[in-house]
Amino acid sequence: MNVLMINIPAEGHINPTLGIVKALIDRGDSVHYVTTEEFRERIEGLGAYVYLHTNHIKPISPQEMKNANIHEFLQDLIKISHEILSIVQKLAETITFDYVYYDTFGAGLLVKDYLNLPSISSSTSFAIPEEQFFTILKSENLGGFLDSSSEIVKENASLTKQMEEKFGVKVKHPFQFMMNSAELNIVYTSKSFQPGGQYLDDSYVFIGPAISSRMQSNNFPLEELINQKVIYISMGTVLYGFEDFFQTCVEAFRDFEGKVVLSVGKSTDITKLETLPENFIVRNYVPQLEVLQRTNLFITHGGMNSASEALYYEVPLVVIPQTSDQPLIANRLEELHAGYRIEPHEVSVEKLQEAVRTVLSDPSYRENAKKLSNSLKEAGGVAKALKAIDEHLGLSNV
């Protein structure tokens, strides 16, 4: 089987698919993955073929996010989609694909229509049916959803028309680039963690996080975490501009009796942080899965990928949600008493210390994280995903 994988260049969207990639290759399928340079190593390391496009998604700070226009993000997705279709057009000259596996964001539906292939959607956050998704956008006018007269909206319409004419595809709705659903949707969480999971139909298959080792080089000193109480802090890789927050963490935990692992992202200059205490390990990149296996508490923005990986390893969280689905995830963690929520404007040395003290001193946080971990591990994983894919394709006896 030749599998075509389409995604957007973001850690929280790429990483959940890696377990699927490995499982497909291990059983003899060929995986052809369209992505960007920063993800080449980990995907090629699994044995997949990688084809590169430009990363048009621009880094954004929390401050900029407050005034962000959703149509600007859509423009990034449209530009990426155009490049992906160009790559697919060329690939299709020499490769006959059997199906396309695509992210809910991006070019997936267009690629499906262009190749006229069966498709599977990859949902890396909570599953949201299409009608509910558009209702949420409209009701809250998120990011200027209802603004249809601005210049950028006109630009997007022009870019979309160019793409449609070039590839003979049709964009059914301007916001299709944020809602690529399919008749089969693989969701990387459990029904227990999914809000209202019991009400979703069988087109949503919950498999839990597809955890797999990542083929990336790093020089992180994991041995320093042995027999230590560990706080791990990361605010993800999409947003930048957290220098003040990182400095607050340094002040809050300089006297912590254990190790503090601080992942600051590739855009932060570590030398600009004030003198770092000896109990801190600070890196631009951290091998998250390996660190989480040795972590007692995770302080994070609450992206789905990070939250799922923490819960998988029974790690309770302190969540400081910034954007997108992060408030929803923080709400769910708080509701299930596996996480402690802090609003961004509430962050201070005292608030961080209080949150850590509360979570580490109350065993119910770890107990509830363990319950969710069990639900994620028992969800079925990649074996369940591959079974669902085969049944969808009419290959259940293969």
Side-chain angles (χ1 to χ4, degrees), residues 9 14-16 24 43 60 77 80 147 157 162-163 166 187 191 223 229 248 272 297 335 366 370 396 398:
I14 297 286
N15 287 338
L24 289 169
I43 297 172
I60 188 169
L77 295 179
I80 288 173
D147 181 7
Q162 292 173 31
M163 185 165 50
K166 181 176 180 180
V187 190
K191 275 197 172 183
E223 67 279 1
K229 185 173 286 187
T248 302
K272 291 186 178 179
L297 173 67
E335 180 181 2
R366 181 162 292 267
K370 185 174 182 178
S396 55
V398 174

Side-chain angles (χ1 to χ4, degrees), residues 11 42 214 216-218 220 263 265 283-288:
E11 296 274 345
R42 72 189 75 174
R214 292 168 191 163
Q216 291 171 271
S217 54
N218 69 80
F220 189 86
S263 177
R283 296 287 189 276
N284 292 105
Y285 171 81
V286 164
Q288 183 157 290

Side-chain angles (χ1 to χ4, degrees), residues 100-346:
V100 56
Y101 190 101
Y102 53 72
D103 190 78
T104 50
F105 281 51
L109 280 169
L110 295 178
V111 171
K112 170 192 180 299
D113 291 345
Y114 178 76
L115 295 175
N116 191 26
L117 286 177
S119 65
I120 294 97
S121 179
S122 170
S123 180
T124 56
S125 187
F126 289 139
I128 302 178
E130 186 172 311
E131 61 275 9
Q132 183 182 351
F133 171 77
F134 289 121
T135 297
I136 292 171
L137 285 179
K138 186 175 182 179
S139 64
E140 304 198 16
N141 192 26
L142 294 181
F145 171 75
L146 297 175
D147 181 7
S148 60
S149 60
S150 66
E151 284 302 311
I152 193 165
V153 172
K154 295 174 183 176
E155 289 176 17
N156 289 352
S158 176
L159 290 170
T160 299
K161 185 177 180 181
Q162 292 173 31
M163 185 165 50
E164 289 176 330
E165 292 175 348
K166 181 176 180 180
F167 299 104
V169 294
K170 182 66 179 176
V171 176
K172 299 173 181 64
H173 190 284
F175 287 84
Q176 173 179 312
F177 298 97
M178 297 175 66
M179 180 48 67
N180 286 259
S181 56
E183 292 180 2
L184 173 62
N185 305 278
I186 303 297
V187 190
Y188 306 96
T189 189
S190 63
K191 275 197 172 183
S192 297
F193 193 39
Q194 165 78 36
Q198 68 272 29
Y199 302 113
L200 293 174
D201 63 35
D202 291 341
S203 68
Y204 296 92
V205 175
F206 294 86
I207 69 165
I211 301 292
S212 67
S213 59
R214 292 168 191 163
M215 308 298 178
Q216 291 171 271
S217 54
N218 69 80
N219 60 350
F220 189 86
L222 287 169
E223 67 279 1
E224 293 187 26
L225 307 185
I226 297 173
N227 298 323
Q228 294 277 354
K229 185 173 286 187
V230 177
I231 296 175
Y232 171 39
I233 304 169
S234 172
M235 298 302 282
T237 57
V238 175
L239 300 178
Y240 73 92
F242 283 104
E243 287 82 2
D244 290 344
F245 170 75
F246 295 144
Q247 196 61 56
T248 302
C249 289
V250 170
E251 296 307 314
F253 305 121
R254 64 170 55 254
D255 296 321
F256 177 72
E257 294 183 2
K259 288 290 184 180
V260 180
V261 178
L262 179 57
S263 177
V264 298
K266 60 185 177 182
S267 64
T268 298
D269 184 351
I270 295 175
T271 63
K272 291 186 178 179
L273 297 177
E274 294 179 16
T275 306
L276 296 169
E278 291 185 3
N279 63 332
F280 270 68
I281 301 174
V282 183
R283 296 287 189 276
N284 292 105
Y285 171 81
V286 164
Q288 183 157 290
L289 294 181
E290 289 81 358
V291 170
L292 282 171
Q293 292 175 60
R294 298 159 176 82
T295 293
N296 298 87
L297 173 67
F298 185 21
I299 300 176
T300 174
H301 62 320
M304 189 62 159
N305 189 50
S306 292
S308 295
E309 290 175 352
L311 292 173
Y312 188 89
Y313 291 113
E314 304 178 12
V315 181
L317 304 96
V318 171
V319 184
I320 308 167
Q322 304 293 318
T323 184
S324 188
D325 56 355
Q326 294 161 22
L328 295 174
I329 293 164
N331 286 346
R332 189 61 173 157
L333 287 166
E334 193 173 45
E335 180 181 2
L336 297 173
H337 202 64
Y340 184 111
R341 178 173 181 159
I342 301 176
E343 296 301 332
H345 67 272
E346 295 177 335

Side-chain angles (χ1 to χ4, degrees), residues 373-394:
S373 174
N374 290 337
S375 80
L376 294 174
K377 291 172 181 175
E378 294 168 2
V382 294
K384 183 178 179 181
L386 265 57
K387 183 174 184 291
I389 290 169
D390 288 347
E391 290 176 350
H392 179 65
L393 298 174

